[in-house]
Every structure is written in structure tokens, then in C-alpha cells.
Amino acid sequence: MKLNPLTARKLRRFRSLRRGYYSFWLLIVLTGLSLVAELLVNDKAIAVRYEGEWFFPTYADIRLGDVFGLEGEAGSTPVSYRELKKVFEAQGGDNLVIMPPVPFGPYENTAYDGILRATPPDAGRGHYLGTDTTGRDIFARLFYGFRTAILFAAAFTALTYLIGISLGCMMGYFGGLFDLLFQRIIEIWSNIPFLYMVIIIFSVIPGTYSITARIVILLTIMVLFSWTFMTYYMRTETYREKARDYVSAARVLGAGSARVIFRHILPNTISTVVTFIPFTVIAAITYITALDFLGWGLPPPTPSIGELLKQGTANLTTAPWIVSSAFVALVFILTVVTFIGEAIREAFDPRKFTTYK
Amino acid sequence: MRMHDPKILAAAALLALLAGCGGGKQEAGQATAPATDNTAEVEEYYRSKVKVPGALWEQLERGEITQEEIDRRSAAGEFPKFFRYAKPEDLPADLAWEDGMDLPEIGSPEAKKGGTFSFFIDDFPRTLRTAGPDANGSFRPYILDDNAMRFAQRHPNDTSIGPNGFRYFPGIAKEWAVDKENAQVFVRIDPAARWSDGEPITVDDVFFMFYFYQSPHLRDPWYNNWYNRSYEHVTRYDDLTFAIGVPERKPDMASRVLELEPSPAHFYREFGPDYPERYQWRFKPTSGAYMVRDEDIKKGSSITLTRVPDWWASDKKFWRYRYNFGRIRLSVIRDTPKALESFRKGELDWFAITQPDYWYEKLPDSDPLVQGGYVGKTVFYNQLPRPTYGLWMNSSRPLLDNRDVRVGIQYATDWDRVIKEYFRGDYVRMRTTADGYGEFTEPAIQPRGYSVEKALESFARAGFTKRGPDGILVNDKGEKLSFTLTTGYDYLRDVLTILREQAGKAGLEFRLEVLDGTAAWKKVQEKQHDIQLTAFSVSPEMYPRYWETYHSVNAYDRAFLPDGSPNPERKPKPNTNNLQCIADPELDRKIEQYQASEDVEEMRRLAFEMEHIIHDNASFSPGYVFPFYRTGFWRWLKWPEDFNVKISRRSEEYYLSWIDEDLKKEVQEARKAGKTFPPILQVYDQYRDE
């Protein structure tokens, strides 16, 4: 793809802003890793070699213990690979279990001295950030919680921008009655308190909905109440661009409204859009964390940063590692995204690269 | 923190029924409503009210007859009068009057009066009323349940069952007599008995109590129902003597009458259709020790109770060593962990630390406050009917209507792990639906323990033999063995996650749903649940109730066809306590026999048989029982030698403790100076079962 020289210069500028640039890569790597979280943080083994045959349980159907020669209750229940590893090691044969670096799942309750309680970080046991109040590994819950949050934020950003940009551009481009009407609708709509809507809607949807369905509903509600802010910027930008000669030229050549908006105007307003993206991501992560913290977010036992924060504040004095892990993780993510945002804003700042001298 | 859903509490607690009345003050804001007088209306009610037999109520509920017909028949004089008048000489001569004065004293003679006791409530009371909308909140025990006096009260230590039921000690009543033959109880009110505004308590207040609780103005159908159906008549002999009739001669019939608290007629002159608003912030005069003064209501932040000056019962046996605090200040702290911090600072005098995380982690024995002897920790084993924490399965739902599935769920529910690893082995497994009723609890039943093998066997019998890709069992039709497990107790969220993990091993999926208390209660009341983790709070009654929870009329409308086979079109009946939708003709027969029985022995036999049927039915998975409560308190809060009474549910229910002001100063100064005391770590197991 051949980049517009202007865009290429902006990207070069972005790359030269080290802090933002490295933050960007850090976030990409983290997100990438979280997409394969099952291979890194999981109670299922990455690979098992049993009597010469290889198994890869991570993404496969659940296997019962008898597949690996376990007997009794262990034979008729889903395999505990950590236990299996011990069994194989005791047998001393060729059989092998390769566990992920963090061998705990986000839902697993592991007892400490026979008691399910919050235990402090202990690298020896593999709980790098300790466990929460029911003995679940905090690192695992944070990692999976991060994945949910970042994917949620990505989806949220994409959807709000899709709606916000389309409507904003149309308002600016068509103007007149259309613009007037939608401005009023947006004013009314944006005055509906979003949090109450979430609470009301979540109190009526049945708990039988799957977790995915609930996340989609939450996403839909949040998008429905968040797309409006983008329209203001796009509307003014479009108004400005519309009056320029190239737009008239395109229209003279016979381009339709859609083509003019999306092929001609939009690329010229894109810098506004881009600078906002990181901050929208931050808002989305903050929202979903806050909702989980308040208990209106994802249903239990879904791992989430907000839920950990809530647990942490309830056990502030007795288990400070819960709240500190969650807090540090949240601040870290938000800071990284903010650095990216700052860098993008600076790189795309028209005052530096303006074509109008 | 509230342990049980307040609504469930309302449904089950007998003490709750015996509720309250109001006091004679007007708040400035309320005074705008013009004063009204209901005297004429009340008099007319006393004249015309009749007792409609229970059988007709049931027919009316089933829609077999109409209200109009009942009204017509009442007008025709078919039914007996409810309010009756007699002369003192009409009193039967052979009545055996008792006054319970031979029972042991309650509390410690060393108790000192005075001081301000500080504690917290999690929400500011929505009203000072003790009945009607919003009245049943966490504040009500302070002005009603634990404070108001009854005619007589069950002795909290002597729990033996005598010929007239439990042993009672006198409150408002001076003496009473049980007339078994005619199913009535005679009561003579103590001539010294006074409301907190100084008015004497008389039979007028007893009559008015029935008017009050039977009235639709109360907007509390539960009370309406109870006071209409559970009493036959009230008869006045003189200003202080009356009799109340009950429909059945049950072994505990005396308790239905003796545990009532009259309602002050003079205070409720303005009782009418606007009762909820008019009386919202008026404190009803109380017979008990503590009252609320207008100037002590700081809306949203705190409310303070004051000991009634010259309380009429303050020197009476059973009462003189109780209610020792001069004032009780309740601040609103919405968050329990925050309240604990407040307690640790010495701003609250005691704290309930029954839950293991509080006992072991948040206030451990090793805590400097405890080691320094500033804060004491006690375990007190009590003995009383236990709240029924467990899984209530709705057997009208698909799959759950199959007994093999239910038995499988029982085996797949790992209460053992919850108790051992989460509750740290302190709690014990519940065995039956009626644990803690003493001789009424069937000793032979053992609950089903966690066993993947037995669960799988049972699920296999129901056709669930294969595991799906996620390890959950599926049957040939492709149905997944998956149920929603709901609870309204946010603090039990962790228990659910443990149960879910363990059930997954046996191929059973629980989809968790944590709702707020009201929504969860609504769900079970509409019988919309699959499986619910909930509990009925039970008060110290003599024998368990089965009709409400297990009779088929509370499961379905027309559960059976005339030939006795299940009605294929039956629908679960909403707003009843039969959460399992059990409809078993044999159980029905036994429940009816049990209800009709007047014999303790027979009732016990029936109760045991019913427990076996319920155990076999397997739709209730008994959870856990905590046979004690644990308390943390500042050193200056003193307790009787045996700490508390046998049937207490928390340490401040019977008000036996007192504040030692001198010691308080000493402890506060010692804390500043770094001086320590010997730690107070006590276990009181004199009432421990087993």
C-alpha cells in the first residue's frame, strides 16, 4: 500500500516519539499474548505425551482422567493436569505433561493448607500475585480480565466510531433540516443517564443469558449511549471540508454523497478521529471496570479487574495484594494507552505539518 | 450485615407477627395533616366483625365461593362474633393460673445501668412504623422484635416442653391460664403495665391490636391474613382481663396468644387509609425499654434510642438485669468492612464476627487489639431452629422434575468442600429441613455427601451418559445438564463459585446468578428459579412447619385431578413457600394429620416420616448450619458469666450486656499509654449439640 506522504510523515513522527511508540508495541504484544492466554495461563496442559501419543488439551474438548490411565474418581472427572504431571513424574516413564508458565486457570479454587482464602504472592507455588478470597490465582484472573477489557474496549471504540463518524459526517454534509433534527435528537439522547440505563436493563434481563450474551448486551448499551460525542467533531470537520474546492470538484465529476463523504472528506478529517481513539479506549476500560466494581458488569465468576478491585477494597487490610495487583494493573494499562494517545496527538498535530502556509 | 432476606424473615418468623404499635408524638413536618378520629369506625368494627371459619377462607382462595357470598352470610348472622364482652364473674372458676415466677432469672445481677452503646446499621430506617410498607428492615428489631414486651415470653434458657408447651415468663401479663378444652388462653394484664408515654396498658389495646392488624389500611397482607385466620375470638372480662381463642389445640397454642404485643389504641386514633404516610416518622409508645425521641432522629446519619425514664418493668424479675444501656446510638455505615474499621477505632462497642474471614483474618487472635486485651473475642454455641441454607430445586422445571437428576445434583453439590475449606470446618453440614428443633429433628437422616461416582450413576439413570466438549453431560436429545443457580446473598457469591467448580467435575453445570435480595426473592416467589441458594429464617418455635413449604396446595393450583393423578395442566402457584413445588399425596396426608394433631408424640412421629419423604424426594440439598455466633467487643462491654441465653441468635438480642464506664476510661487511657490487659478469648459451649 502506498501511503500518502503526509500520513507517512505523521507515522515517522509517531515512531520518533519513543515513549508512545514503545507503549504502542507493548500494548500490541500484551493484547497479542492475551489472545493466546490459554497457552500461557491455564490449568490445562499445553501438551501431554502419553504412551507415545501426543495430546494438546488447550483448545480441545475436555478429557476425562481415564484417557490418561487414571482410575477411580480421577478417571471419571475432567483431568487435572497439574495432578497428572505429578502422577507421570512419580511413574518416571516417558509420559510427559508440559504445563503453561502459570499453571492455574482463572476459575480454579486452590486450597492453601486445606483452606480457601486469600494467600500472599508465592512464586514457589506458582501464584505470582497471590490468590483471591476463594483461592483463585490473581494473575490468571487479571490476565483474562485484561483480555476481556481490551477486546471490549476495541469493539466499543470501533462501534462508537462507526456510528459517530457516519452520522456526524452526514449531519455536516447534508446540513439543513437533517442536521437540525439530529442535533436535537443527540442532545436529548445524551442526557439520558447511562449508568441508570445499565442498572435498569441488567435488572430485567434474565440471568440465564450466557456470559457472552451479557457482554454483548452491555456493549450494546454502552455504544448506544456513547456514540454521540463523536458526532460533534465530525460534524464541524465535515462542514469545514465541505466548503473546499476539492469537494465541489468531486461533485462536479458526478460523485455521489457516499463517495464524497467516505472517499474525499473522511480521509481529510481522519486526524481528528485518530487522536481520539486512545482516549476512547481508556474510557471503555474505565467504564467496564467501574461497572464490575459496582456489581453491574459481568456476571460471576467472570474474571475482571473491577471485580478484583471490589474484593481488594473489602479486604484492604488483610489481603492488600489483591487491591494492589488490580490497581497497578489498571494504572499500567491506562498509562500505556495514555502514552500512546499523547504520541498520536503530537504526531498528528496539524500545527506542525500544516499544508497551509 | 443481614443474614436472611427480610421478606423471608417476615414469612416465617412467628415473633415477627406479634408486632407493634405506635407512639404519641408528632413530628413537625407531619403535623400538617389534619387530625382525624377513628373511634366511631373502630367501635363499629368491634360490633360487627365476625369470625369466618378457616375452611371458608380456603374456599375463597380457591375461588369456589365469592367474597359477596361471605359478606351475605356474615350479615345473616351465620358466623360467631369476633369481639366479645363478658363479665368478670363469667370467668371459669377452675382456671389454673400461672405466672412463671419460678423460672430462673435472666441476666447478671452485676449489670450496671447507663452509658451509651454504639453500633451501626447498614441503612437508615425508611420508617419508624413497625408494620406496613418498608417497616420490615434491619432497624425494626431495635424498636420491635428485641425491644417490645409481649404478654409473656418464652424462657430463653429453660427450653423444656411442659403440658402447656414451652415455659413462659411474664411480661405485660401478670398471669395467664390455658384452657385446652375450649382452645382459649386467659390473660390478666399487669396493673402496673404502662406505655412509654405513661398511658396504662389495658384490654382496649388488645382489642385494638386485632383491629389494627386485620385492617387493610395497614397495607401488609401478611398481618391481615395471620390475625384473621389464626384467632377465633377475643373476649373482654374487665379492663385487665381477657381471653383469646385459637382454632386448633396445638401443643404450643399458648404461644400464639402470649407472644402478642398489644397496640396502643390512644396513639392510633388517626389510623386510617393514610396510615403509611401519617405514621411514617412517629414513634409508637412502647411497652419495652427503649424509645426514640424526635430529636434523636438524624435522618441519613444516625438514630439513637433512649431508655424509657421510669420504665415500668425495670425492677421486675426477668427484666431488671436487662436493657442496661442508657442510650443506644446507631450510626449508618453502609459498608461492613468500613464498619469493622470503625469498631477497631473504638467507635462501635461490638461487632459480629461469625464469618470465618472476619474471625480468622480481619480480627485474628494475633491482632494487637486482641492480644492487648482491649478487644475480646467469644464463641457462643446456641441452640435453636436453624435457617435453612441449602439448594432449593424447583421440581416443576424440565429435567429437575426427574428424581434421578435431583439425586445426582445432591451428590454433585460439594457442601463438604465449602464447609471444610471455605468455612474452615467451623460450620457443620445441615441434615434435614428442620435442624435445631431439638426432639423434633429426625436424628437418623444423613445428607448425601459429594461423590462424583454416585452423581454420574444417578445422572446416567436419567439418560445423561455422554460428556459434551466442555465436560458437561448431555443426553441423547442433546439437552445439556445445565441449570441456573441463583442467590440473593451477595456475600455467598464465593460459595456459588466453589459449588460450580465442583459440580463441573461431575458433569453438571451451574450458571451463576447473583441478584439483589429483593429480585432474588421475587424470582422464587414466582417460581421462576431452577435452583436457588436461599434460606428461611426460623424463629424458636416448638415444631417445624410443613404445610407452607411442602403441601401441594402451595405448589400448584389444582395439583391433582379428582382421580388423584397429577393434573397435566397444573401451573406452579406463585407467592407461596413451596419453593420446590413438591406435590406428593402421601406427604399431603401426613401434613394434614400433623396440622390436626394435638399430641406432641404423634406430631414428632409424623415429622420424622415427612423428613424421610422429603429426603427421598431430593429436591432440597441441605447446606450448612452455624451452631454458634462469634462476637468481638471492647473490654468495657461486660457480659453475664454464661455470656448469653440458649436461644439467642446474636449477642445483642436479649440485651444482657452492660457498659462499665470506669473500665472504659481505664482501657482508653491504657491504650494511649501502651499498657495491656490479659486477652479475652472465650468459648462458651454449654449449649453445644452433640
Side-chain angles (χ1 to χ4, degrees):
Chain A
M1 190 177 72
K2 199 170 172 308
L3 285 174
N4 178 330
L6 216 59
T7 316
R9 269 167 78 186
K10 285 174 183 169
L11 286 181
R12 268 203 307 282
R13 168 83 181 131
F14 178 66
R15 282 176 67 172
S16 71
L17 298 164
R18 291 298 172 81
R19 196 171 66 183
Y21 183 64
Y22 290 132
S23 295
F24 175 73
W25 278 110
L26 190 61
L27 188 70
I28 293 291
V29 169
L30 270 180
T31 310
L33 286 179
S34 78
L35 291 178
V36 291
E38 282 82 358
L39 291 170
L40 303 169
V41 182
N42 204 342
D43 51 343
K44 285 187 194 166
I46 300 175
V48 178
R49 188 175 65 205
Y50 177 65
E51 299 189 338
E53 201 185 334
W54 282 93
F55 297 86
F56 302 96
T58 311
Y59 296 105
D61 292 355
I62 275 184
R63 288 192 180 85
L64 301 184
D66 52 5
V67 176
F68 301 113
L70 298 179
E71 282 161 10
E73 192 172 293
S76 52
T77 46
V79 183
S80 161
Y81 289 96
R82 283 198 311 276
E83 293 302 314
L84 187 69
K85 185 172 177 156
K86 284 183 202 151
V87 172
F88 283 177
E89 277 166 6
Q91 287 166 352
D94 261 357
N95 299 337
L96 181 69
V97 176
I98 304 171
M99 290 301 288
V102 178
F104 297 98
Y107 301 113
E108 234 189 334
N109 308 111
T110 43
Y112 179 73
D113 286 345
I115 292 167
L116 294 170
R117 65 182 175 93
T119 50
D122 182 351
R125 292 175 62 229
H127 293 300
Y128 299 106
L129 297 177
T131 64
D132 72 1
T133 48
T134 45
R136 293 176 299 197
D137 187 68
I138 291 176
F139 186 81
R141 291 188 69 76
L142 269 182
F143 203 58
Y144 283 88
F146 165 72
R147 178 166 78 178
T148 318
I150 201 80
L151 292 181
F152 185 89
F156 172 80
T157 311
L159 286 171
T160 42
Y161 278 59
L162 188 71
I163 302 175
I165 290 175
S166 312
L167 263 172
C169 284
M170 278 155 74
M171 283 161 67
Y173 185 74
F174 297 124
L177 194 62
F178 182 86
D179 183 27
L180 205 68
L181 191 73
F182 265 88
Q183 275 191 68
R184 300 294 90 75
I185 290 176
I186 286 168
E187 275 162 17
I188 294 168
W189 189 249
S190 56
N191 272 311
I192 300 175
F194 149 77
L195 190 61
Y196 293 122
M197 289 308 292
V198 174
I199 292 171
I200 290 166
I201 291 170
F202 268 76
S203 63
V204 292
I205 64 164
T208 42
Y209 284 23
S210 71
I211 288 175
T212 328
R214 289 175 70 112
I215 294 179
V216 170
I217 293 172
L218 186 65
L219 180 66
T220 315
I221 302 170
M222 281 183 54
V223 168
L224 280 180
F225 288 94
S226 311
W227 56 268
T228 49
F229 84 98
M230 204 55 218
T231 56
Y232 297 124
Y233 300 104
M234 291 315 294
R235 179 176 159 273
T236 40
E237 286 286 312
T238 312
Y239 255 121
R240 204 175 64 187
E241 294 299 316
K242 192 174 89 168
R244 296 200 189 285
D245 292 345
Y246 71 91
V247 174
S248 313
R251 283 167 75 175
V252 166
L253 285 170
S257 299
R259 190 182 169 86
V260 173
I261 292 175
F262 292 108
R263 296 300 300 272
H264 295 282
I265 296 181
L266 191 58
N268 284 295
T269 54
I270 205 75
S271 59
T272 322
V273 179
V274 170
T275 49
F276 276 114
I277 287 179
F279 302 102
T280 314
V281 169
I282 289 176
I285 294 176
T286 319
Y287 268 153
I288 192 161
T289 308
L291 283 174
D292 278 333
F293 182 80
L294 296 173
W296 292 105
L298 308 173
T302 323
S304 86
I305 302 174
E307 193 260 351
L308 274 173
L309 277 176
K310 186 181 186 180
Q311 261 195 41
T313 47
N315 298 279
L316 202 55
T317 48
T318 49
W321 55 88
I322 302 179
V323 74
S324 46
S325 303
F327 178 74
V328 169
L330 184 64
V331 170
F332 175 74
I333 298 166
L334 296 183
T335 314
V336 163
V337 181
T338 310
F339 286 163
I340 301 171
E342 279 180 346
I344 292 180
R345 182 168 280 183
E346 200 172 330
F348 281 63
D349 189 345
R351 273 172 302 184
K352 194 144 200 157
F353 294 105
T354 179
T355 47
Y356 313 108
K357 305 243 163 110
Chain B
M1 99 209 72
R2 230 174 303 155
M3 294 300 279
H4 321 299
D5 187 309
K7 297 228 168 89
I8 298 183
L9 205 109
L14 178 69
L15 289 178
L17 346 163
L18 308 174
C21 348
K25 280 168 279 164
Q26 285 228 346
E27 198 183 322
Q30 307 278 323
T32 46
T36 56
D37 191 340
N38 57 15
T39 314
E41 194 188 322
V42 173
E43 291 294 320
E44 176 53 28
Y45 187 80
Y46 292 164
R47 255 195 306 281
S48 59
K49 171 74 178 171
V50 293
K51 168 65 187 180
V52 177
L56 281 187
W57 279 107
E58 275 155 35
Q59 285 186 338
L60 180 69
E61 265 176 12
R62 288 197 295 267
E64 290 164 19
I65 54 169
T66 60
Q67 182 65 47
E68 287 75 42
E69 192 185 338
I70 291 188
D71 291 345
R72 188 178 52 71
R73 286 167 66 178
S74 319
E78 186 179 325
F79 309 122
K81 288 254 184 276
F82 188 85
F83 295 95
R84 302 176 194 174
Y85 297 86
K87 296 203 175 66
E89 50 271 31
D90 298 336
L91 272 175
D94 56 347
L95 288 175
W97 291 93
E98 8 175 350
D99 62 7
M101 292 305 277
D102 55 323
L103 289 166
E105 182 69 86
I106 304 167
S108 165
E110 286 161 36
K112 291 181 192 165
K113 296 280 185 284
T116 298
F117 172 76
S118 303
F119 195 53
F120 80 103
I121 36 177
D122 56 7
D123 199 359
F124 194 79
R126 296 178 187 188
T127 175
L128 287 185
R129 283 182 282 103
T130 51
D134 292 332
N136 190 2
S138 57
F139 177 67
R140 198 187 67 175
Y142 292 100
I143 51 173
L144 179 71
D145 311 55
D146 301 345
N147 181 27
M149 289 176 82
R150 333 277 175 192
F151 292 117
Q153 258 163 297
R154 185 183 166 192
H155 198 277
N157 277 329
D158 184 347
T159 53
S160 59
I161 300 178
N164 286 334
F166 287 133
R167 309 297 311 273
Y168 278 85
F169 69 86
I172 295 169
K174 188 167 182 290
E175 51 186 0
W176 58 92
V178 181
D179 175 7
K180 272 230 151 138
E181 209 167 308
N182 300 308
Q184 55 185 343
V185 180
F186 292 84
V187 177
R188 194 163 279 148
I189 297 173
D190 192 323
R194 292 286 178 279
W195 296 110
S196 53
D197 58 1
E199 293 287 324
I201 300 175
T202 67
V203 175
D204 288 346
D205 302 321
V206 180
F207 270 42
F208 189 81
M209 166 185 74
F210 283 102
Y211 174 78
F212 182 73
Y213 286 114
Q214 289 171 350
S215 167
H217 302 331
L218 196 65
R219 287 203 225 139
D220 206 329
W222 192 87
Y223 283 114
N224 293 162
N225 187 47
W226 179 265
Y227 280 82
N228 267 312
R229 294 175 63 164
S230 308
Y231 300 96
E232 290 290 301
H233 67 87
V234 52
T235 307
R236 174 197 174 101
Y237 290 90
D238 61 36
D239 270 358
L240 298 175
T241 315
F242 65 93
I244 290 176
V246 293
E248 297 127 7
R249 283 180 281 260
K250 303 298 285 182
D252 64 341
M253 61 172 262
S255 68
R256 281 220 189 161
V257 176
L258 295 179
E259 292 188 17
L260 292 170
E261 192 215 12
S263 300
H266 66 279
F267 170 73
Y268 284 122
R269 280 282 129 71
E270 297 174 32
F271 178 75
D274 61 351
Y275 160 74
E277 300 82 43
R278 190 179 281 264
Y279 284 91
Q280 185 83 337
W281 294 108
R282 294 195 204 175
F283 178 74
K284 115 183 146 54
T286 177
S287 54
Y290 291 107
M291 60 183 198
V292 177
R293 302 183 307 195
D294 285 346
E295 62 266 33
D296 292 331
I297 305 170
K298 308 261 181 321
K299 281 195 186 153
S301 68
S302 79
I303 187 160
T304 303
L305 295 104
T306 308
R307 200 168 196 274
V308 175
D310 308 319
W311 178 40
W312 73 276
S314 56
D315 295 323
K316 275 175 59 119
K317 189 181 177 187
F318 308 112
W319 301 91
R320 55 192 162 189
Y321 305 134
R322 299 167 59 195
Y323 303 101
N324 302 312
F325 312 124
R327 284 162 72 75
I328 297 175
R329 190 178 64 230
L330 302 165
S331 328
V332 175
I333 305 179
R334 287 175 205 282
D335 190 38
T336 314
K338 214 181 274 173
L340 179 72
E341 291 308 311
S342 194
F343 168 70
R344 294 178 62 99
K345 278 160 74 183
E347 291 163 1
L348 309 179
D349 287 313
W350 78 285
F351 208 80
I353 46 174
T354 299
Q355 285 193 58
D357 51 337
Y358 279 82
W359 180 260
Y360 290 107
E361 317 253 330
K362 294 180 180 164
L363 193 64
D365 293 355
S366 58
D367 194 288
L369 283 177
V370 180
Q371 280 305 314
Y374 308 116
V375 166
K377 284 175 75 181
T378 57
V379 186
F380 181 81
Y381 284 85
N382 53 4
Q383 246 189 53
L384 73 168
R386 307 295 178 185
T388 48
Y389 285 97
L391 301 192
W392 299 74
M393 301 171 215
N394 183 348
S395 63
S396 72
R397 304 286 268 198
L399 297 182
L400 288 173
D401 54 6
N402 183 332
R403 178 177 175 269
D404 290 324
V405 170
R406 298 197 301 263
V407 171
I409 294 174
Q410 297 251 355
Y411 285 122
T413 305
D414 198 352
W415 288 114
D416 306 328
R417 180 166 202 206
V418 169
I419 290 168
K420 195 165 146 253
E421 297 186 351
Y422 184 66
F423 293 134
R424 309 190 191 202
D426 296 345
Y427 295 6
V428 291
R429 180 80 199 268
M430 184 184 292
R431 295 188 300 109
T432 69
T433 69
D435 277 17
Y437 280 89
E439 39 189 276
F440 268 95
T441 300
E442 160 65 302
I445 292 179
Q446 285 305 324
R448 299 170 179 88
Y450 181 71
S451 161
V452 173
E453 209 173 304
K454 285 183 185 163
L456 289 173
E457 239 170 66
S458 192
F459 290 141
R461 276 200 300 279
F464 286 90
T465 45
K466 288 195 305 279
R467 283 190 190 247
D470 51 358
I472 302 305
L473 289 164
V474 284
N475 63 9
D476 294 340
K477 285 185 260 170
E479 287 171 309
K480 221 172 140 183
L481 193 61
S482 169
F483 304 99
T484 303
L485 174 53
T486 311
T487 193
Y489 306 128
D490 193 57
Y491 71 98
L492 290 182
R493 170 189 290 263
D494 291 342
V495 169
L496 293 194
T497 63
I498 297 166
L499 292 181
R500 174 192 151 98
E501 278 300 293
Q502 293 299 91
K505 292 186 183 161
L508 165 69
E509 182 184 49
F510 286 141
R511 293 184 307 260
L512 305 187
E513 183 180 49
V514 180
L515 301 175
D516 78 279
T518 320
W521 179 240
K522 191 158 176 278
K523 187 163 185 170
V524 282
Q525 282 296 282
E526 288 169 1
K527 312 287 166 74
Q528 293 292 320
H529 61 294
D530 280 348
I531 304 175
Q532 189 110 345
L533 170 55
T534 188
F536 284 104
S537 169
V538 278
S539 54
E541 288 182 287
M542 185 186 290
Y543 49 84
R545 302 179 183 198
Y546 288 95
W547 184 84
E548 288 89 341
T549 338
Y550 295 109
H551 199 283
S552 64
V553 300
N554 288 321
Y556 301 99
D557 291 314
R558 295 190 57 231
F560 301 104
L561 295 176
D563 63 4
S565 61
N567 178 357
E569 285 165 13
R570 64 191 187 180
K571 293 245 160 37
K573 187 174 177 179
N575 302 320
T576 72
N577 283 357
N578 192 333
L579 308 184
Q580 293 145 270
C581 292
I582 287 192
D584 177 339
E586 198 197 336
L587 191 57
D588 283 359
R589 266 194 302 281
K590 288 197 195 298
I591 290 173
E592 282 153 24
Q593 253 177 294
Y594 179 79
Q595 288 221 306
S597 175
E598 295 166 9
D599 177 44
V600 172
E601 276 308 312
E602 188 194 15
M603 286 181 71
R604 187 183 306 152
R605 179 179 57 77
L606 286 166
F608 288 6
E609 287 168 10
M610 288 190 285
E611 283 299 335
H612 280 282
I613 296 175
I614 295 162
H615 177 80
D616 279 350
N617 181 286
S619 55
F620 173 68
S621 166
Y624 55 86
V625 157
F626 36 101
F628 53 73
Y629 54 80
R630 300 190 276 213
T631 312
F633 55 90
W634 281 89
R635 194 179 188 90
W636 57 74
L637 193 65
K638 308 290 275 178
W639 305 85
E641 218 158 273
D642 55 355
F643 192 74
N644 225 306
V645 293
K646 192 172 173 182
I647 61 170
S648 57
R649 279 175 285 196
R650 54 185 181 280
S651 45
E652 288 300 350
E653 186 180 356
Y654 281 82
Y655 290 93
L656 305 179
S657 53
W658 66 94
I659 290 172
D660 187 329
E661 293 283 357
D662 302 335
L663 188 59
K664 185 167 181 175
K665 263 187 223 107
E666 194 187 328
V667 170
Q668 281 168 336
E669 275 157 24
R671 229 187 132 201
K672 269 187 218 131
K675 204 178 121 245
T676 59
F677 301 91
I680 310 172
L681 291 164
Q682 286 273 20
V683 178
Y684 297 90
D685 56 1
Q686 67 268 35
Y687 300 121
R688 191 174 182 167
D689 291 321
E690 295 125 68

